[in-house]
Amino acid sequence: MQITESILAQVEARNPAEPEFLQAVREVVDSVGLVLERHPEYRAARIMERIVEPERVVIFRVPWVDDQGTVQVNRGFRIEMNSALGPYKGGLRFHPSVNLGILKFLAFEQVFKNALTTLPLGGGKGGSDFDPKGKSDAEVMRFCQSFMTELARHIGPHTDVPAGDIGVGGREIGFLFGQYKRLANEFTGVLTGKGFGWGGSLIRPEATGYGAVYFAAEMLATRDDSLEGKTCLVSGSGNVAQFTVEKLIDLGATAVTLSDSSGFIHDPAGIDAEKLAWVMELKNERRGRIREYAEHFPGVTYTAADPGLDHNPLWAVPAACAFPSATQNEINASDAKNLLAGGCFVVSEGANMPSVPDAVELFIGAGILYGPGKAANAGGVAVSGLEMAQNAGMTQWTRETVDHRLRDIMVEIHLACVGASERFGTPGNYVNGANIAGFLKVADAMLDQGVV
Ligand code: NDP
Ligand code: 2IT
């Protein structure tokens, strides 16, 4: 297809050092090629050419002083990608690997994901190469205060509303919010993921993990099947992984793995509610490593990560379902083959872009139920949108109300993916479904709003 090839060539030429961004764009452009063929109006308005270009990118210095009195310098970013549907919305990631290309891929994915939520949310992402691991609470606070001192001038409850992502949880959101409030002299919903006592929403911490499980349940329902009794692989052991396991337990499935960047545990007896509570204390309070799980509970094996291996043995554990919930490109083609050989027929992505393109191709080729991140993990940002609605209405809803709305939104997203994939001739392909349904909503808003 000439049009998609020329768009891709342009994006590659302009962003040569951003492999993750190019990977994310390639996938969307591939899907949307089907739409551009049928809709010359999007081509004439050069919607795709505009969607791949951030509306604004802010890069700034973040100086702070560590506990030894040494001056440290990190780099801060905010990508304001697209505001056709609402204020820029998306998380902040604090991780040493953070760079411009990674945040642009995340901001780009966020635009389509947020469009799928049914809520009025634009797309953005930000963060820093700051590594919270091993830092004291006081160091994290000073870093967050310095980061927000610059970011504050670019955000606002109707402009850009950040939230958490890798390395940014309740503690960091608290420090960031405190500094914003001090600078702006305003108590407003400028961040989501706030504590419940000061404007947060119930179920926001749970939302991404619960949503990924609800999405898997919806995919299974299309085959008259359910999660009950299914063995499930979960990677990561942070926010998304923890609440994925919690909801799997709720629905009668058995999660048998968790991981961090040092290795993974396999617990064939299953991670039950008591073990999960122990993991939450380990990771969220003591900030320990998942290896300790195998030292604490009998019958569990720990496998250290081996960078020399061409695959991650976590994905070779036989199971029906996989919930990658750590980071991008954590499932390569060998992992995908191992998953399929182990009987896996459901992949619901809690992480953003965890499967490399060859792995995605293998899943789709095998005809399994493959839910891409921008659909399957949209529950987190959806409940962030509900937090914004509660803040605007000066109110707080019950757990049951928020959880119901989350469920309904995940059902809607699933239906939108199924509908779009069928209308454009690729039934069962949730990648095309998510990309096309998200694109159409943003593209129509952009057409209405003129050349901006
Ligand atoms: P957390 O920081 O709470 O947890 C991240 C987990 O993933 C940790 O166990 C971490 O291990 C592991 N991990 C991170 N980077 C790597 C890496 N390079 N290699 C191996 N393991 C890694 O983050 P979240 O749970 O919030 O985020 C997990 C994923 O979910 C990310 O892809 C994020 O973008 C996505 N997501 C998050 C949402 C949210 O609401 N929080 C919403 C939608 C998507 P270690 O401690 O060793 O670093
Ligand atoms: O990737 C994501 O969707 C998030 N990290 C959550 C974003 C948000 O604004 O809640």
Side-chain angles (χ1 to χ4, degrees), residues 54-65:
E55 290 180 12
R56 189 178 300 103
V57 174
V58 189
I59 304 184
F60 50 94
R61 175 169 72 200
V62 189
W64 57 282
V65 181

Side-chain angles (χ1 to χ4, degrees), residues 402-419:
V402 182
D403 195 27
H404 266 116
R405 292 206 56 176
L406 169 62
R407 269 212 85 132
D408 288 349
I409 288 170
M410 296 315 296
V411 169
E412 287 283 324
I413 295 174
H414 179 265
L415 276 175
C417 293
V418 168

